[in-house]
């Protein structure tokens, strides 16, 4: 769907969308439209339970006297902020997508937030239909254009094109990777797909298995060794400013069977999205480069498939990480941390970043704690944690902070190696996972986001359709704006 901006006027065709404040009447162009329709809109409001409540809608078909084929009244509540403007865009899209109208014109009298409405609508318009060959016409969205008629159309258009549209592309980039099944998306094809970032000026460096062996990324390679698909590590750089970079690190397990510590078969198909952390990182790189951000950012993703086979890693195996520390692999299903350990140590040693943020669908335990509303954040640095919490609030990718403590770290002691890869009990599983990662970051300001509950959704929200959410793209983009660009 295309989003465009125009000066306020009633449209000659298509759908007309008008806003109504809570308990209020139709005003301005909306009042003009109502008059042209001999009061049909205000009578429809009076005859319904629609009173302008935020995100409530009322559809009036072919009102006599208006050129529009339908009028959609949308409630803006009593306090309009950016968050609501975005959700309204998403709501308008969802109501009209399959209505039959091919174009819609939204009359948006408020100055300043028209671009945000467009962003919300475009985010809601995401679909992943490439494998559907028998989709019925009536199930296909036909809404092709949303025109936002607003006082400062030029400023809104500029802001949308330079910023909002870049965010939409980046979120789509991430959602597409997360949506792909494991037979199509595996380390090699994923790494190949990331070459697309070169078109926006990101430098992309791919390490194949030989290169990773040379680098001694043995905890990462240990996860991949049971799969016919070779591991890849991809480093992405955007240098829009001088000084030390901020590093973004992502878990990219393209399919997680659990390995020899195999998962139960029920629901295992969900483990195609065990690369959601990496998708957040690559999406953020696309957004940052797309906006030509004045920031120095390095992204690194570890791409592996976790399979059981005769070459797979065994429970009890001891592997040496890139950092030199050794790990006793008690459970091969705790593989994400093994991938991240090498990435964290490597990116810190080579790039000496001012801060590191890793994202991973790391534990089922975080889903038990937070369900699908918040992702968990763990950090050794107050300022970084606060910046991330604020960024999460700003873009509605919410975070809830968990503690780190030596007592949890003790649960990682091993009789044979420097540490084991799971806690000594099942308790505090998300925290012991974070404590494991902490052993690979030294003194560098670091935050770990456990996004196991938020990378995928079975419930649509106004700007997030069912399926791959792209969680983390906007959060990281916002973090970079706040800590690097301001
Ligand atoms: N990818 C899973 C975590 C996960 C679980 C993500 C559910 C999304 C939904 C991860 O690799 C894993 O298997 N973690 C184990 C760790 C355990 C063996 C200590 C878990 O959480 O069960
Ligand atoms: Mn696992
Ligand atoms: Zn996993």
């Amino acid at each position: 769907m295309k989003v465009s901006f125009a000066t306020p006027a009633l449209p000659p065709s298509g759908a007309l969308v008008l806003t109504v404040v809570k308990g209020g009447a139709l005003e301005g162009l909306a009042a003009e439209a109502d008059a042209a329709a001999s009061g049909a809109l205000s009578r429809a409001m009076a005859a319904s339970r629609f009173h302008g409540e935020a995100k409530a809608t009322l559809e009036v078909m072919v009102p006599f006297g208006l050129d529009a084929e339908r009028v959609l009244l949308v409630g803006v509540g009593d306090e309009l902020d950016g968050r609501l403007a975005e959700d309204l865009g998403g709501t308008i899209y969802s109501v009209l997508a399959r209505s039959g109208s091919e174009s819609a014109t939204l009359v948006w009298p408020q100055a300043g937030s028209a671009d945000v409405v467009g962003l919300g609508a475009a985010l809601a318009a995401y679909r992943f239909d490439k494998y559907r060959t028998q989709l019925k016409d009536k199930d296909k969205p036909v809404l092709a254009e949303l025109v936002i008629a607003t006082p400062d159309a030029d400023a809104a258009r500029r802001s949308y094109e330079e910023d909002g549209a870049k965010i939409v592309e980046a979120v789509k980039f991430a959602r597409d990777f997360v949506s792909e099944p494991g037979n199509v998306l595996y380390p090699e094809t994923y790494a190949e797909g990331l070459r697309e970032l070169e078109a926006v000026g990101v430098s992309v460096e791919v390490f194949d298995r030989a290169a990773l062996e040379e680098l001694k990324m043995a905890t990462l390679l240990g996860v991949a060794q049971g799969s016919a698909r070779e591991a890849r590590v991809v480093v992405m750089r955007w240098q829009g400013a001088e000084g030390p970079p901020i590093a973004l690190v992502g878990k990219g397990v393209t399919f997680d069977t659990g390995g020899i510590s195999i998962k139960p078969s029920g629901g295992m198909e969900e483990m195609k999205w065990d690369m959601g952390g990496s998708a957040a990182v690559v999406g953020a790189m696309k957004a940052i480069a797309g906006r030509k951000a004045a920031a120095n950012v390095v992204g690194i993703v570890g791409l592996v498939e976790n399979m059981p086979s005769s070459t797979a890693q065994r429970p009890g195996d001891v592997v040496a990480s890139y950092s030199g520390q050794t790990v006793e692999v008690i459970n091969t299903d705790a593989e994400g941390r093994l991938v991240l350990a090498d990435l964290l140590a490597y990116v810190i040693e080579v790039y000496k970043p001012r801060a590191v943020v890793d994202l991973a669908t790391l534990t089922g335990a975080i889903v038990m704690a937070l369900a699908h509303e918040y992702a968990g954040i763990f950090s050794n640095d107050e300022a970084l944690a606060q910046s991330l919490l604020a960024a999460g609030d700003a873009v509605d990718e919410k975070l809830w902070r968990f503690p780190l403590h030596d007592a949890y770290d003790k649960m990682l002691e091993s009789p044979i190696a420097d540490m084991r890869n799971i806690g000594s009990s099942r308790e505090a599983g998300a925290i012991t996972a974070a404590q494991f990662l902490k052993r690979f970051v030294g003194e560098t300001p670091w935050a770990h986001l456990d996004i196991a509950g938020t990378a995928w959704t079975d419930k649509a929200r106004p700007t997030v359709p069912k399926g791959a959410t792209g969680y983390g793209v906007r959060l990281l983009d916002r973090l970079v704006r706040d800590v690097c660009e301001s």
Side-chain angles (χ1 to χ4, degrees):
M1 187 202 48
K2 183 169 176 272
V3 173
S4 62
F5 298 86
T7 44
L10 296 178
S13 63
L16 167 63
V17 187
L18 301 169
T19 58
V20 182
V21 298
K22 189 170 173 195
L26 296 163
E27 288 167 22
L29 266 185
E32 276 177 41
D34 189 38
S38 310
L41 306 181
S42 43
R43 281 164 56 214
M45 277 170 62
S48 75
R49 305 175 99 177
F50 172 90
H51 305 293
E53 298 87 349
K55 296 185 244 183
T57 59
L58 176 66
E59 191 175 356
V60 183
M61 287 304 295
V62 286
F64 184 78
L66 283 178
D67 296 326
E69 61 207 18
R70 56 168 46 75
V71 173
L72 183 70
L73 301 175
V74 180
V76 299
D78 40 27
E79 202 186 356
L80 181 71
D81 57 11
R83 173 84 249 121
L84 178 58
E86 212 181 288
D87 278 1
L88 290 173
T91 302
I92 291 165
Y93 174 81
S94 302
V95 173
L96 293 179
R98 272 181 297 268
S99 67
S101 290
E102 288 174 23
S103 79
T105 300
L106 163 66
V107 175
W108 188 259
Q110 295 83 352
S113 51
D115 59 324
V116 182
V117 181
L119 168 67
L123 288 171
Y126 177 77
R127 295 179 59 97
F128 189 77
D129 283 340
K130 68 188 273 200
Y131 299 116
R132 294 179 189 272
T133 67
Q134 296 171 352
L135 201 62
K136 296 189 185 62
D137 276 348
K138 73 170 184 33
D139 293 328
K140 291 183 189 158
V142 290
L143 186 71
E145 185 173 31
L146 176 65
V147 181
I148 304 180
T150 194
D152 202 352
D154 289 339
R157 182 182 310 113
R158 205 173 319 117
S159 163
Y160 182 75
E161 280 167 10
E162 288 169 10
D163 192 325
K166 304 302 179 190
I167 300 296
V168 174
E169 281 169 33
V171 171
K172 176 183 175 350
F173 191 59
R175 287 177 181 170
D176 278 349
F177 283 125
V178 176
S179 303
E180 287 287 0
N183 62 326
V184 175
L185 193 83
Y186 47 89
E188 205 182 326
T189 54
Y190 194 175
E192 208 40 58
L194 294 182
R195 291 269 177 215
E196 198 185 311
L197 288 169
E198 289 172 342
V200 287
V202 173
S203 76
V204 177
E205 187 182 8
V206 178
F207 295 91
D208 64 10
R209 186 175 69 170
L212 298 172
E213 278 169 358
E214 184 77 29
L215 282 172
K216 296 198 163 67
M217 289 210 190
T219 56
L220 181 148
L221 285 167
V223 175
Q225 79 187 33
S227 172
R229 306 298 192 185
E230 280 187 12
R232 294 286 185 273
V233 166
V234 181
V235 176
M236 294 147 284
R237 296 216 67 188
W238 170 257
Q239 286 176 273
E242 297 298 315
I246 183 159
L248 310 176
V249 178
K251 168 181 173 180
V253 177
T254 58
F255 197 83
D256 181 15
T257 64
I260 295 299
S261 312
I262 198 162
K263 289 180 180 296
S265 52
M268 203 203 275
E269 70 283 356
E270 298 207 334
M271 286 300 114
K272 74 170 186 179
W273 48 261
D274 207 17
M275 34 57 69
S278 67
V281 170
V282 305
M285 294 306 297
K286 184 157 176 125
I288 291 159
R291 296 192 292 105
K292 303 197 180 353
N296 188 3
V297 185
V298 56
I300 184 168
V301 292
L303 313 180
V304 299
E305 183 178 60
N306 188 20
M307 285 294 217
S309 77
S310 70
T311 62
Q313 178 155 260
R314 289 152 291 258
D317 282 5
V318 174
V319 280
S321 71
Y322 178 86
S323 71
Q325 299 177 88
T326 57
V327 180
E328 181 187 12
V329 180
I330 302 292
N331 189 317
T332 65
D333 197 12
E335 85 296 342
R337 62 198 77 182
L338 297 171
V339 172
L340 292 172
D342 276 347
L343 300 181
L344 288 167
Y346 175 81
V347 84
I348 288 170
E349 180 180 295
V350 174
Y351 293 96
K352 305 191 170 35
R354 57 192 277 191
V356 190
V357 182
D358 78 71
L359 292 91
T361 48
L362 205 63
T363 69
I366 204 74
V367 190
M368 292 300 118
L370 298 171
H372 309 286
E373 308 309 318
Y374 286 75
I377 173 172
F378 305 78
S379 183
N380 63 1
D381 186 86
E382 287 308 309
L384 180 62
Q386 291 311 323
S387 297
L388 279 158
L389 287 163
D393 278 340
V395 301
D396 201 29
E397 293 182 345
K398 294 190 289 296
L399 292 167
W400 191 261
R401 191 163 179 192
F402 282 75
L404 293 163
H405 193 282
D406 281 345
Y408 298 116
D409 181 74
K410 289 224 165 41
M411 293 166 76
L412 296 171
E413 281 171 10
S414 160
I416 183 173
D418 297 337
M419 70 197 87
R420 39 191 278 149
N421 77 325
I422 59 170
S424 50
S425 88
R426 292 176 57 229
E427 295 168 335
I431 304 178
T432 51
Q435 292 288 165
F436 180 92
L437 300 178
K438 185 171 181 287
R439 291 185 176 218
F440 297 87
V441 300
E443 299 301 310
T444 304
W446 155 79
H448 156 60
L449 313 187
D450 192 337
I451 65 167
T454 54
W456 189 269
T457 182
D458 295 326
K459 193 178 80 193
R461 283 189 279 128
T463 58
V464 186
K466 273 188 200 176
T469 60
Y471 182 100
V473 174
R474 300 186 61 194
L475 176 72
L476 293 175
D477 175 71
R478 174 64 61 159
L479 178 77
V480 167
R481 288 177 205 249
D482 292 350
V483 307
C484 305
E485 294 174 64
S486 57

